[in-house]
Amino acid sequence: MSKFINEFKEFAVKGNAVDMAVGVIIGGAFGKIISSIVDDIIMPPIGWLIGGVNFTDLKFTLPSVDMGVEKLQSATINYGNFLQTTFDFVIIAFCVFLMVKGVNKLARKKEEAKEELKPKQPELANEEKLLTEIRDLLKEKQS
């Protein structure tokens, strides 16, 4: 049992697990912010532009069924809520795309900066290149 606990401690303390947990928590909070932006800022003007429609109220009501002894209540297909959720997803996906694109750009700049700091080998002069070729040819003849 202690081996299991030690393995769990090692996993939980690893940087990747902690980073992943932080990412999930931040992602959940980010999703709530985006949902609020969509629900409270973006969708009301769109609904107003198309005639005062609240997307979450859009639904198709199926007729009720009379079974003789009891009557089944009518069901609704809430396609407005689906549209709202789909719009949330598109905005979140776009924001994540922009964030990943920005992070990749920063990582690329960092790599370029590292490359610039690396010592460059000096370019050989023509005479040195010729001498190197002659040396290599002489080595081949001796072999």
Side-chain angles (χ1 to χ4, degrees), residues 90-134:
V90 169
I91 291 176
I92 290 171
F94 182 70
C95 290
V96 169
F97 166 75
L98 291 177
M99 191 169 41
V100 168
K101 188 174 177 178
V103 168
N104 287 342
K105 188 174 183 179
L106 288 174
R108 213 174 309 122
K109 283 184 181 180
K110 190 175 180 180
E111 284 296 319
E112 289 172 359
K114 280 184 182 178
E115 289 296 322
E116 289 176 6
L117 293 176
K118 283 185 180 179
K120 296 178 183 175
Q121 291 187 347
E123 185 70 28
L124 296 177
N126 286 337
E127 298 154 351
E128 292 173 332
K129 288 180 186 177
L130 288 173
L131 288 171
T132 305
E133 289 176 15
I134 292 170

Side-chain angles (χ1 to χ4, degrees), residues 55-56 58 77-89:
F55 279 87
T56 55
L58 296 175
I77 298 174
N78 301 320
Y79 66 91
N81 199 27
F82 173 75
L83 290 174
Q84 184 82 24
T85 304
T86 303
F87 201 66
D88 283 357
F89 171 77

